[in-house]
Amino acid sequence: MSERALQIGLAGLGTVGTGVYETLCRNRELLQARTGIPFRVKRVAVRDIHRKRDVEIDPELLTADWRDLVEDPEIDIVIELIGGTEEAHRLVEEALRAHKPVVTGNKALLAEFGGELFRLSAETKTPLYFEASCGGGIPIIQSLQSSLVCNYVRRIAGIINGTSNYILSSMERKGVSFEEALAAAQRKGYAEADPTLDVNGWDAAHKALILAMLAYGTPLSPENISVYGIERVTPTDFRFARELGYNIKLLVVIRHHGERNALELRVQPSFVSHKHMLSNVYGVFNAIAVHGDIVGETIFYGRGAGKNPTASAVIGDVMLAMRDCRHPEHHSGFHPYTKQLSLLPQEETVTPYYVRFHVADKPGVIATIAAELARYDIGISGTMSSARREDGEGEDTCDLVFMLHACPWGKLCEALRALRVHEGIGPHPAVFRIETLNEEA
Amino acid sequence: MSERALQIGLAGLGTVGTGVYETLCRNRELLQARTGIPFRVKRVAVRDIHRKRDVEIDPELLTADWRDLVEDPEIDIVIELIGGTEEAHRLVEEALRAHKPVVTGNKALLAEFGGELFRLSAETKTPLYFEASCGGGIPIIQSLQSSLVCNYVRRIAGIINGTSNYILSSMERKGVSFEEALAAAQRKGYAEADPTLDVNGWDAAHKALILAMLAYGTPLSPENISVYGIERVTPTDFRFARELGYNIKLLVVIRHHGERNALELRVQPSFVSHKHMLSNVYGVFNAIAVHGDIVGETIFYGRGAGKNPTASAVIGDVMLAMRDCRHPEHHSGFHPYTKQLSLLPQEETVTPYYVRFHVADKPGVIATIAAELARYDIGISGTMSSARREDGEGEDTCDLVFMLHACPWGKLCEALRALRVHEGIGPHPAVFRIETLNEEA
């Protein structure tokens, strides 16, 4: 312990930054014992150095300019927790150019500029760590980089947005609507005032892009991927799902199609069998199922967000960075194995489906739908209907659910389009993919 | 890639050894791309070099003496997969003394000689990797050492014996007896001809000792810990468990009692609430729930044994060893944080309990039991009974279940002893701990 202490520069003292600072102080003895490396936080960059804070911090440490970290020759490691993409992009870029390893938890930054930043990291031989960018405290990134390194990843399926999982959990358990569940989540602090990116699937999509980059080395463009949020999930669908043996989860699915040199990447609320562990992930928890060719199915579960869980991931990376720092020529880093993969067009992705039509309750409707599906060569594995109800205009209607065998999404869309012209069949059926994820002994 | 290839010596070509060799060959391109380090298997030590093998291997590589690996100055890393403790102990010791990093998956070895071997590893500054010793392909060891490094571990609870979990899963699902489920597991190759260590809890206990050593730096002696197997779990208990909202799992529980400087470590079939993820782990799968002070609850799930999953863990360690080898002065190793902890005596460990008595179906029995429990200050949270049946000697009997509030194990044992003198109450009630593991948002 007589070595010079490693000096850490922390940029950002929001929720996670505060958690990181507090934990580095509180659990210092543990960390130094386990790593054998002394360290200290030398500088903390904040937007407003005069603001009153929840954490006790020596004002001398504070600076309003993150360049004070990047340009300080004594600082060995920079932690980026300022959020956003523009300023954070500059910060990470300049830190890497200054040969300071960077730890970040900024998923939006990596989803947008990951390809470029990882190239810069390789060029400058300066590692960029990002465990906290996906799955909060869940050690998914380091596991993919290290313990599971020998695996070709066949499939990743995950619940990686805590807010939407909290909302879906409330809907399932309490039978409330999306709007009610969202409002309750906001009251409890599990959803932000502007929950857009959480509920429309894009936060999960950003994380999925990071996982895909890691597993396949393929920088995918956010524009081309298929992303659906949870805004249109209804209590009716939850009731049918339960009866059919499923739960509804906002799922990220990444699947490698070796024979086509293609990657399937999509985000949507999906039906997950009650038998699969992912169906039992509730509240703000996240879980990521990784299927590797050697290891088989593994699942990582934990708190996907929040001050301390995310701080735990950041500090795990900081300690890795400290070990690497001791030997700058030693790049413990991970180079994604890259084969040129194209993105499988959404129309060609294949799953079974649940389709719920709102129909007039009269003879012939089932026959019409079944015939149209048959015309598109789509098999039906089962049907189910709700009790009839009166629609307020004197007509009896009911919900009619079709469980469909696996077929390409494009074909399903064609069939649904063709059904629109038929009288008595509501034009906007609820469609959910049924994910087949099971591997069990 | 122009550097000299790192040379690997593999000792043992049984099931896992074969999986390691095959995977190093088959996924070589992937591994070299991801790590940037070229490698080759230089020597393979086997018991019988003439035996016919399932894997194609150059006979030139084979040797019948593991000393050929340890004494070869060109070999950089030794993988120990010969099993057993005596010979393996010598092998690992000599490899460390020769400054060759060792990768092992030998839980019995570490449970017995771990303290000594880790000291030798520290003295010789030569790392010893052991991901494969616990949880098969599940990356629990590296996660505790790296991603979760900043956490004081409050509790570890795990299902870490696949054979017993497979047997309990069959019993639950098919309602069969332990003996029938064991025989079926043996027929399918999920239980060995001699399943003793799997079903009596000791295989799980060995792994628990490794986890405890890692999390707390405390080398505990196997003699003092409390280990119960699954041999006496009955279909009757499964039926009651289900009605009460529980599943029965062979659980390892390690709990830190900071206020007493003590560690609770025990292995037994336990009641786990249906609401907890661990209750849904079926077949040969394993799962380990780690509760850290910063990260909260995390769970790691995957195949806990078998050729390929275990090979995946071994190779993850080999790649870590290769990175470390490039810079022998760089010890990426993890030093457990150690505080002197004593083992909490079994009698003082506290949980709620399920106790099933076999009783004569006559008035006064419930009153007798309840009174005796009250005398020992043990609270009852509920009771349940089975339909009466005729015991073959003309007397009506039934099963009477008491759900008890948390109390020390020692106190419960006293109460149960006191109950033995009462007529009409079977002297050997079935007792299960009810584990309270929930942390959910």
Side-chain angles (χ1 to χ4, degrees):
Chain A
M1 290 288 216
S2 61
E3 322 169 66
R4 167 180 165 274
L6 277 170
Q7 318 262 337
I8 296 167
L10 170 61
L13 206 55
T15 306
V16 177
T18 302
V20 168
Y21 184 81
E22 283 174 354
T23 305
L24 286 174
C25 296
R26 190 172 351 129
N27 289 8
R28 158 184 304 273
E29 186 193 342
L30 175 83
L31 284 165
Q32 296 201 343
R34 284 182 172 169
T35 61
I37 305 175
F39 64 86
R40 74 182 186 102
V41 177
K42 196 192 174 195
R43 218 71 209 278
V44 179
V46 293
R47 209 165 309 189
D48 173 4
I49 60 170
H50 300 296
R51 198 178 122 195
K52 193 146 168 47
R53 308 198 170 266
D54 294 338
V55 58
E56 212 175 296
I57 187 166
D58 179 357
E60 290 289 298
L61 260 56
L62 298 181
T63 167
D65 187 354
W66 54 259
R67 283 179 185 77
D68 288 345
L69 316 181
V70 173
E71 290 164 9
D72 182 340
E74 287 198 340
I75 284 184
D76 300 289
I77 294 163
V78 172
I79 306 175
E80 182 279 304
L81 295 170
I82 63 174
T85 54
E86 229 174 285
E87 194 76 1
H89 183 199
R90 273 198 293 276
L91 192 170
V92 173
E93 196 179 294
E94 292 194 22
L96 291 175
R97 286 196 196 287
H99 294 283
K100 294 187 195 306
V102 176
V103 175
T104 181
N106 193 326
K107 56 204 170 258
L109 174 70
L110 294 179
E112 195 168 347
F113 300 107
E116 175 198 328
L117 291 172
F118 288 115
R119 268 195 305 281
L120 182 61
S121 160
E123 275 167 39
T124 57
K125 296 204 164 76
T126 307
L128 173 59
Y129 306 86
F130 52 101
E131 182 67 80
S133 67
C134 183
I138 300 174
I140 183 66
I141 305 292
Q142 289 195 17
S143 293
L144 284 170
Q145 290 181 329
S146 185
S147 316
L148 303 181
V149 67
C150 78
N151 287 271
Y152 286 96
V153 175
R154 297 222 167 116
R155 189 253 298 140
I156 296 175
I159 295 167
I160 49 180
N161 180 275
T163 301
S164 58
N165 199 54
Y166 184 88
I167 292 171
L168 291 177
S169 299
S170 307
M171 290 179 70
E172 188 220 351
R173 287 176 163 175
K174 297 176 192 156
V176 297
S177 70
F178 167 74
E179 290 74 18
E180 288 170 277
L182 169 60
Q186 285 172 319
R187 279 195 303 276
K188 291 194 179 161
Y190 291 129
E192 294 176 39
D194 176 3
T196 312
L197 287 179
D198 289 316
V199 301
N200 73 6
W202 274 100
D203 173 83
H206 284 156
K207 294 168 183 165
L209 289 169
I210 293 170
L211 292 174
M213 195 150 48
L214 198 62
Y216 304 100
T218 308
L220 293 167
S221 171
E223 289 93 63
N224 303 323
I225 62 176
S226 152
V227 178
Y228 294 90
I230 61 168
E231 306 94 327
R232 291 198 283 180
V233 180
T234 67
T236 307
D237 296 310
F238 268 109
R239 276 196 301 274
F240 278 112
R242 177 176 302 186
E243 272 195 62
L244 292 159
Y246 296 89
N247 200 344
I248 302 175
K249 292 293 178 190
L250 181 69
L251 228 59
V252 154
V253 175
I254 308 172
R255 210 182 280 269
H256 182 226
H257 296 266
E259 73 294 355
R260 301 189 55 180
N261 265 330
L263 210 58
E264 174 178 350
L265 195 160
R266 51 191 172 75
V267 181
Q268 70 285 301
S270 293
F271 272 39
V272 182
S273 162
H274 281 151
K275 288 182 192 151
H276 197 276
M277 301 273 284
L278 289 185
S279 76
N280 292 308
V281 175
Y282 283 105
V284 297
F285 279 85
N286 281 196
I288 303 162
V290 177
H291 192 100
D293 66 334
I294 306 299
V295 77
E297 181 88 344
T298 57
I299 301 179
F300 300 80
Y301 167 93
R303 292 187 168 268
K307 176 178 166 183
N308 281 338
T310 311
S312 172
V314 168
I315 296 175
D317 274 352
V318 171
M319 297 299 125
L320 205 57
M322 294 204 320
R323 290 164 178 166
D324 292 345
C325 264
R326 280 280 176 247
H327 303 279
E329 82 284 16
H330 165 89
H331 196 291
S332 84
F334 169 94
H335 321 276
Y337 173 73
T338 311
K339 277 210 164 167
Q340 217 39 54
L341 295 175
S342 61
L343 189 71
L344 194 71
Q346 165 79 349
E347 308 83 61
E348 298 175 28
T349 60
V350 172
T351 58
Y353 304 92
Y354 156 103
V355 184
R356 177 174 56 83
F357 298 93
H358 190 219
V359 300
D361 189 21
K362 59 183 182 188
V365 169
I366 293 187
T368 304
I369 296 175
E372 201 68 83
L373 290 169
R375 216 159 63 82
Y376 286 88
D377 207 25
I378 300 173
I380 299 168
S381 62
T383 67
M384 189 181 250
S385 64
S386 69
R388 73 169 64 179
R389 57 177 185 267
E390 212 262 322
D391 71 352
E393 290 168 18
E395 204 181 350
D396 280 346
T397 67
C398 73
D399 283 306
L400 197 54
V401 166
F402 282 77
M403 300 296 276
L404 305 180
H405 286 303
C407 77
W409 175 254
K411 202 170 235 184
L412 176 66
C413 291
E414 283 177 47
L416 296 181
R417 262 195 303 277
L419 276 164
R420 282 204 201 133
V421 302
H422 292 281
E423 215 185 313
I425 299 171
H428 301 294
V431 179
F432 290 86
R433 289 177 183 270
I434 299 169
E435 305 290 348
T436 43
L437 303 170
N438 280 314
E439 191 226 26
E440 203 183 275
Chain B
M1 288 285 218
S2 62
E3 324 169 65
R4 167 181 166 274
L6 277 170
Q7 318 262 337
I8 297 168
L10 170 61
L13 205 56
T15 307
V16 176
T18 302
V20 168
Y21 184 79
E22 282 174 354
T23 305
L24 286 174
C25 296
R26 192 179 342 136
N27 290 7
R28 160 184 303 274
E29 186 194 341
L30 175 83
L31 284 165
Q32 295 201 345
R34 283 182 173 168
T35 61
I37 304 176
F39 64 87
R40 74 182 186 102
V41 178
K42 195 193 173 195
R43 218 70 210 279
V44 179
V46 294
R47 210 166 308 189
D48 173 4
I49 60 170
H50 301 296
R51 201 178 120 195
K52 195 151 166 42
R53 308 197 170 268
D54 293 337
V55 60
E56 212 176 297
I57 187 166
D58 179 356
E60 289 289 296
L61 260 56
L62 299 180
T63 167
D65 187 355
W66 54 259
R67 283 180 186 78
D68 288 346
L69 316 181
V70 173
E71 289 164 10
D72 182 342
E74 285 198 340
I75 284 185
D76 300 289
I77 294 163
V78 172
I79 306 175
E80 182 280 303
L81 296 171
I82 62 174
T85 54
E86 229 173 284
E87 196 76 1
H89 183 200
R90 272 197 295 276
L91 191 169
V92 173
E93 197 179 293
E94 292 192 24
L96 291 175
R97 284 196 197 288
H99 295 284
K100 294 188 195 306
V102 176
V103 174
T104 182
N106 194 326
K107 56 204 169 261
L109 174 71
L110 295 179
E112 195 167 346
F113 300 107
E116 175 197 327
L117 291 173
F118 289 114
R119 266 195 306 280
L120 182 61
S121 160
E123 275 167 39
T124 57
K125 295 204 165 74
T126 307
L128 174 58
Y129 306 85
F130 52 103
E131 181 66 81
S133 68
C134 184
I138 301 174
I140 183 66
I141 306 291
Q142 288 195 18
S143 293
L144 283 170
Q145 290 182 330
S146 185
S147 316
L148 303 181
V149 66
C150 77
N151 288 271
Y152 286 97
V153 175
R154 297 222 166 115
R155 189 251 300 140
I156 296 176
I159 295 167
I160 50 179
N161 180 274
T163 301
S164 58
N165 199 54
Y166 183 88
I167 293 170
L168 291 177
S169 299
S170 308
M171 291 180 68
E172 188 219 351
R173 287 177 164 174
K174 298 177 193 156
V176 297
S177 70
F178 167 74
E179 290 75 16
E180 288 171 276
L182 170 59
Q186 285 173 319
R187 280 196 302 276
K188 291 194 180 161
Y190 291 129
E192 294 177 39
D194 176 3
T196 313
L197 287 179
D198 289 316
V199 302
N200 73 6
W202 275 100
D203 172 84
H206 285 156
K207 295 167 182 166
L209 289 169
I210 294 170
L211 292 175
M213 196 149 49
L214 197 63
Y216 304 100
T218 309
L220 293 168
S221 170
E223 289 92 62
N224 303 323
I225 62 175
S226 154
V227 179
Y228 294 91
I230 61 168
E231 307 94 326
R232 291 199 283 181
V233 180
T234 67
T236 307
D237 295 310
F238 269 109
R239 278 196 300 274
F240 278 112
R242 176 175 304 187
E243 273 195 62
L244 292 159
Y246 297 89
N247 200 345
I248 301 175
K249 293 292 177 190
L250 181 68
L251 228 59
V252 154
V253 176
I254 308 171
R255 209 182 279 271
H256 183 225
H257 296 265
E259 73 295 355
R260 301 188 56 180
N261 265 330
L263 210 58
E264 175 178 349
L265 194 159
R266 50 192 171 76
V267 181
Q268 70 285 301
S270 293
F271 272 39
V272 182
S273 163
H274 281 152
K275 288 183 192 150
H276 197 276
M277 301 274 283
L278 289 185
S279 77
N280 292 307
V281 175
Y282 283 105
V284 296
F285 278 85
N286 281 195
I288 302 162
V290 176
H291 191 101
D293 66 334
I294 306 299
V295 76
E297 182 87 343
T298 57
I299 301 180
F300 301 79
Y301 168 94
R303 292 188 168 268
K307 177 179 165 182
N308 282 338
T310 311
S312 172
V314 168
I315 296 175
D317 273 353
V318 171
M319 297 299 126
L320 205 57
M322 295 204 319
R323 290 164 178 165
D324 292 346
C325 265
R326 280 280 176 248
H327 304 278
E329 80 285 13
H330 165 89
H331 196 293
S332 85
F334 169 93
H335 320 277
Y337 174 74
T338 311
K339 276 208 163 168
Q340 216 40 53
L341 295 176
S342 60
L343 189 71
L344 194 71
Q346 165 79 347
E347 309 81 62
E348 297 175 29
T349 60
V350 173
T351 57
Y353 303 91
Y354 157 104
V355 183
R356 176 175 57 84
F357 298 93
H358 190 219
V359 299
D361 189 21
K362 59 184 184 187
V365 170
I366 293 186
T368 304
I369 297 174
E372 202 69 81
L373 290 168
R375 216 157 65 81
Y376 286 87
D377 209 24
I378 300 174
I380 299 167
S381 62
T383 67
M384 188 181 250
S385 64
S386 68
R388 73 169 64 179
R389 59 179 184 267
E390 212 262 321
D391 71 352
E393 290 169 16
E395 203 180 350
D396 280 346
T397 66
C398 72
D399 283 306
L400 197 54
V401 166
F402 282 76
M403 301 294 278
L404 305 180
H405 286 301
C407 77
W409 174 254
K411 201 171 236 183
L412 176 67
C413 291
E414 282 177 48
L416 295 181
R417 261 196 303 277
L419 275 165
R420 282 203 202 134
V421 303
H422 292 281
E423 216 185 314
I425 299 172
H428 301 294
V431 180
F432 289 86
R433 289 177 183 271
I434 300 169
E435 304 291 347
T436 43
L437 303 170
N438 280 315
E439 190 226 27
E440 205 183 275

